[in-house]
Amino acid sequence: MRHKEKEISDPSEMNAIIRKATICRLGMVNGDKPYVVPMNFGYHNNTIFFHGAQKGLKFDIIKKNPNVCVEFDVAIEVIEAEKACDWSMKFQSVIVFGTASLIDDPEEKCRALETIMAQYSDKVFDFPEKKLTATAVIKVDIARMTGKQSRL
């Protein structure tokens, strides 16, 4: 990291940023082209979970190349100034590198969906078997994460 004073190295601080986030960006490589998609997510025990339809580009890409990057950001605010080059941003962000896989086991899939819902609500939800069968769930095992903040 070029600006060491902006680095977040404490894992508990990075976990807190992920817990505060409401959306993230999932980055993948499709052949030799990057592909990034905003996603809802769940986070638990150094693992990120996503869900979606059974078919689609992100699932096709992950099957070919499971290496992914996920970006989270919170506390975003524009800092205005008189001169254009003095404008800045306030933010906290975390970037995660990991390996994605698809979850097939119905019980594991249900736990992953519970984790996703817990990111947004304290309620307990049921997942009907028909919906569970129609839903694909991606699990990302985190290999490494980095954090950065500015003007906080």
Side-chain angles (χ1 to χ4, degrees):
M1 184 166 299
R2 198 166 45 98
H3 291 283
K4 285 291 186 187
E5 75 279 4
K6 294 182 178 185
E7 182 177 23
I8 300 170
S9 57
D10 180 355
S12 65
E13 285 184 55
M14 289 186 272
N15 286 335
I17 291 167
I18 293 171
R19 297 235 180 269
K20 284 185 221 172
T22 56
I23 196 160
C24 65
R25 286 133 200 102
L26 172 62
M28 299 159 280
V29 178
N30 187 12
D32 64 346
K33 304 279 189 234
Y35 181 72
V36 177
V37 61
M39 299 286 294
N40 297 101
F41 67 96
Y43 176 63
H44 183 67
N45 285 345
N46 210 40
T47 306
I48 302 166
F49 299 98
F50 303 106
H51 78 291
Q54 287 281 355
K55 295 185 182 204
L57 183 56
K58 68 181 158 289
F59 299 103
D60 294 340
I61 294 170
I62 286 169
K63 287 175 188 173
K64 292 178 195 168
N65 183 352
N67 298 306
V68 298
C69 180
V70 184
E71 186 273 342
F72 305 85
D73 52 62
V74 298
I76 301 164
E77 182 182 330
V78 175
I79 309 295
E80 296 183 15
E82 285 296 314
K83 297 178 183 173
C85 292
D86 293 333
W87 281 55
S88 186
M89 294 290 289
K90 182 193 285 190
F91 67 90
Q92 291 181 302
S93 65
V94 171
I95 296 178
V96 165
F97 301 90
T99 305
S101 59
L102 297 174
I103 297 175
D104 293 321
D105 177 70
E107 288 181 23
E108 188 179 355
K109 192 186 275 192
C110 193
R111 285 192 302 273
L113 292 171
E114 288 169 352
T115 300
I116 293 168
M117 292 308 300
Q119 182 74 23
Y120 304 98
S121 175
D122 292 333
K123 294 180 183 178
V124 176
F125 296 92
D126 289 326
F127 302 100
E129 187 176 331
K130 185 176 179 179
K131 293 282 188 182
L132 201 59
T133 302
T135 302
V137 176
I138 300 169
K139 172 183 176 182
V140 175
D141 292 310
I142 298 172
R144 181 170 62 97
M145 70 169 72
T146 62
K148 186 175 180 179
Q149 64 185 358
S150 183
R151 297 190 179 251
L152 293 177

